[in-house]
Amino acid sequence: KAGVTQTPRYLIKTRGQQVTLSCSPISGHRSVSWYQQTPGQGLQFLFEYFSETQRNKGNFPGRFSGRQFSNSRSEMNVSTLELGDSALYLCASSLGQASDTQYFGPGTRLTVL
Amino acid sequence: AQKITQTQPGMFVQEKEAVTLDCTYDTSDPSYGLFWYKQPSSGEMIFLIYQGSYDQQNATEGRYSLNFQKARKSANLVISASQLGDSAMYFCAMREANTGGFKTIFGAGTRLFVKA
């Protein structure tokens, strides 16, 4: 089975721009979660989608949004980028229950200049 | 509030020896899952082992075992026979139900250095 894929792997943007990140889950997985990883804050939960519905959301401003398509692929959007948004963005997929293992993609490293 | 604590920012271990990475958690939910992940310098998170809150036995996966002490709310990872390739960041995580979905929170991580 193919693993979780994320595109692009690297991005450089400037303040004020917006960015869209993509995540393709493992085939059959209906849950996709997004995380932001920074040296200062560690790994923080952004949101989780299941069957095209946002099931849960972390404590991030409204500039961070996402969606999930019928094929379970998910996109994450960050508008009006700030320097502090520079981070590794990881997505993880699972079957969707608490005991199901989340498998992570390689991440997208976003740098905001 | 949910919380995961990893008190060891860095650990050193000699190759072929065993090492224990500590993790304590706090939750009021009786149903939860505990996970350990490894993150090499490449950045990808690699799943190592899972323990459910209702599991009676400690989980094991090859050289990895989870020392689950529910009353103490601890879920320590034990790596036996350390290898140089085990050098990485290790994260403890807890997943529980939250507002109709599930939420996973991670500890700050422990950086493990394996010495030859």
Side-chain angles (χ1 to χ4, degrees):
Chain A
K1 251 188 193 178
V4 179
T5 58
Q6 290 186 248
T7 57
R9 294 292 311 278
Y10 302 92
L11 263 180
I12 299 176
K13 293 285 187 179
T14 56
R15 279 181 299 175
Q17 287 187 310
Q18 74 164 16
V19 67
T20 298
L21 312 182
S22 180
C23 172
S24 292
I26 291 172
S27 177
H29 285 189
R30 296 165 64 189
S31 169
V32 174
S33 296
W34 288 89
Y35 299 87
Q36 181 196 64
Q37 186 176 26
T38 60
Q41 299 297 318
L43 270 155
Q44 292 188 287
F45 171 77
L46 279 157
F47 27 65
E48 182 203 13
Y49 286 87
F50 182 83
S51 292
E52 302 180 66
T53 301
Q54 186 181 88
R55 278 204 303 200
N56 216 334
K57 191 177 191 304
N59 296 324
F60 278 82
R63 301 185 296 107
F64 292 81
S65 64
R67 59 178 175 168
Q68 187 180 33
F69 302 95
S70 58
N71 61 358
S72 293
R73 189 178 71 84
S74 177
E75 286 182 347
M76 190 192 99
N77 185 275
V78 188
S79 62
T80 319
L81 284 166
E82 301 177 359
L83 296 178
D85 296 333
S86 294
L88 179 67
Y89 290 88
L90 292 161
C91 100
S93 78
S94 75
L95 291 170
Q97 299 305 313
S99 60
D100 295 325
T101 297
Q102 288 185 295
Y103 294 93
F104 283 79
T108 294
R109 188 164 294 281
L110 172 65
T111 302
V112 182
L113 302 176
Chain B
Q2 309 165 349
K3 190 174 180 182
I4 295 279
T5 303
Q6 294 181 254
T7 57
Q8 308 151 312
M11 288 278 288
F12 286 87
V13 65
Q14 196 67 41
E15 193 180 10
K16 298 181 184 177
E17 292 186 348
V19 62
T20 298
L21 306 184
D22 295 340
C23 172
T24 58
Y25 60 93
D26 188 23
T27 180
S28 55
D29 194 328
S31 178
Y32 52 88
L34 296 161
F35 301 81
W36 277 91
Y37 287 89
K38 170 185 178 182
Q39 188 177 42
S41 55
S42 60
E44 189 163 357
M45 298 284 282
I46 301 168
F47 165 73
L48 295 178
I49 196 165
Y50 163 80
Q51 180 85 42
S53 59
Y54 295 116
D55 293 343
Q56 296 296 311
Q57 294 191 328
N58 288 342
T60 59
E61 290 282 352
R63 294 187 299 112
Y64 305 107
S65 60
L66 200 152
N67 184 359
F68 181 45
Q69 298 188 43
K70 195 170 182 177
R72 294 185 179 183
K73 291 188 176 179
S74 75
N76 299 339
L77 177 70
V78 180
I79 304 175
S80 63
S82 297
Q83 302 172 355
L84 295 178
D86 293 335
S87 293
M89 279 291 281
Y90 288 81
F91 291 96
C92 178
M94 178 173 67
R95 186 163 167 85
E96 62 179 16
N98 180 273
T99 60
F102 298 98
K103 185 174 180 179
T104 303
I105 58 168
F106 288 80
T110 295
R111 185 168 294 280
L112 179 66
F113 299 92
V114 180
K115 301 181 290 183

